[in-house]
């Protein structure tokens, strides 16, 4: 599996790159690929998103320099911004792995294991999607990694978004993933110190290869 660390990528450019890679993967002209990148501030609406979960109008968002896009991934509204590592696996799930729930849980495990390398204990919470810090330094359960995927004929797009050190007040613009009962956190907040983005990316790559049993 190839992986690319792309830095800051405009959201629409990221969508187009996913589309082109997925079409090439379906033709078997490229291998499975993992894209790791960051986006400028943007809100994305999944297939199940409710407009009420965005707390500002598009005009008000525009004054803050934050765009909004509808996508074909699963899930509700999500924020992306600098300091957050977004992972887009463009891959074919072979026989034996053709299970949506197993795929999502595998992505969650990649994040959980990468966080553990930094001394952060993360978990799944059955009633909510994503990866969580059950007892955050800021109190209560808080999400640290969001997931939203798209599968077609067992080819994958979209993926996960891990909060390393994003601008946290931007999450106040939405009810992240439609959840009003719990907040959001980041690696920086939980560790109370800076975190090296490159090192996090490399740990994600390591665990992705291990969990999906592929050479990276």
């Amino acid at each position: 599996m190839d992986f690319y660390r792309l830095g800051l990528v405009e959201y629409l450019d990221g969508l187009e790159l996913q589309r082109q890679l997925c079409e090439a993967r379906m033709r078997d002209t490229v291998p499975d690929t993992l894209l790791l990148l960051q986006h400028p501030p943007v809100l994305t609406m999944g297939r199940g998103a409710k407009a009420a979960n965005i707390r500002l109008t598009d005009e008000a968002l525009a004054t803050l320099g934050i765009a909004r896009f509808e996508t074909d991934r699963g899930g509700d509204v999500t924020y992306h911004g600098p300091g957050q590592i977004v992972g887009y696996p463009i891959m074919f799930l072979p026989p034996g792995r053709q299970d949506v729930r197993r795929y999502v849980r595998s992505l969650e495990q990649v994040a959980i294991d990468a966080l553990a390398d930094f001394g952060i204990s993360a978990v799944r919470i059955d009633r909510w999607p994503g990866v969580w810090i059950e007892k955050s330094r800021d109190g209560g359960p808080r999400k640290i990694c969001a997931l939203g995927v798209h599968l077609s004929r067992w080819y994958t797009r979209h993926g996960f978004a891990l909060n390393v050190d994003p601008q946290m007040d931007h999450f106040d613009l939405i009810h992240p993933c439609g959840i009003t009962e719990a907040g959001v956190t980041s690696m920086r907040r939980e560790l109370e110190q800076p975190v090296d983005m490159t090192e996090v990316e490399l740990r994600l790559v390591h665990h992705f290869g291990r969990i999906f049993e592929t050479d990276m």
Side-chain angles (χ1 to χ4, degrees):
M1 187 172 196
D2 289 347
F3 69 92
Y4 295 88
R5 299 172 49 242
L6 299 177
L8 192 66
V9 176
E10 293 287 343
Y11 186 73
L12 288 180
D13 292 338
L15 286 182
E16 178 61 14
L17 181 55
Q18 288 186 75
R19 185 191 66 79
Q20 292 186 19
L21 278 172
C22 194
E23 288 182 357
R25 183 65 188 89
M26 288 178 174
R27 296 192 300 268
D28 205 26
T29 57
V30 299
D32 290 338
T33 303
L34 173 64
L35 305 176
L36 295 174
L37 49 86
Q38 301 173 57
H39 289 306
V42 62
L43 303 182
T44 72
M45 308 286 285
R47 294 190 302 273
K50 298 177 177 61
N53 287 324
I54 297 180
R55 303 172 70 178
L56 295 181
T57 64
D58 285 351
E59 292 76 15
L61 290 172
T63 65
L64 298 173
I66 300 176
R68 179 178 72 88
F69 296 101
E70 295 183 3
T71 77
D72 60 356
R73 65 166 173 79
D76 207 296
V77 61
T78 298
Y79 168 78
H80 297 311
Q84 179 192 74
I85 297 174
V86 179
Y88 293 137
I90 311 298
M91 61 190 299
F92 175 69
L93 298 181
R97 281 193 172 270
Q98 293 179 353
D99 180 313
V100 175
R101 181 174 174 80
R102 180 184 178 187
Y103 174 62
V104 170
R105 291 182 71 84
S106 293
L107 291 181
E108 291 171 343
Q109 197 63 48
V110 169
I112 288 169
D113 291 350
L115 288 164
D117 290 343
F118 292 86
I120 298 174
S121 178
V123 299
R124 299 178 182 88
I125 296 180
D126 288 342
R127 64 188 181 278
W128 293 323
V131 175
W132 294 78
I133 306 303
E134 195 165 25
K135 295 181 179 179
S136 169
R137 289 186 183 276
D138 291 331
R142 290 180 178 265
K143 179 178 281 191
I144 196 167
C145 183
L147 277 84
V149 302
H150 176 92
L151 283 83
S152 175
R153 293 183 289 166
W154 302 112
Y155 291 91
T156 71
R157 286 188 291 112
H158 298 287
F160 62 87
L162 176 62
N163 296 334
V164 180
D165 188 14
Q167 187 170 334
M168 297 302 295
D169 59 359
H170 278 173
F171 288 97
D172 295 336
L173 304 175
I174 62 173
H175 300 302
C177 301
I179 299 168
T180 59
E181 307 98 305
V184 177
T185 190
S186 68
M187 295 179 69
R188 171 72 180 259
R189 279 202 175 186
E190 296 305 316
L191 294 173
E192 298 185 312
Q193 64 184 31
V195 183
D196 185 86
M197 295 286 286
T198 297
E199 185 59 28
V200 179
E201 288 179 329
L202 294 177
R203 298 317 298 165
L204 288 168
V205 167
H206 168 76
H207 290 295
F208 200 98
R210 183 179 58 81
I211 288 168
F212 284 92
E213 300 176 304
T214 186
D215 292 329
M216 305 296 289

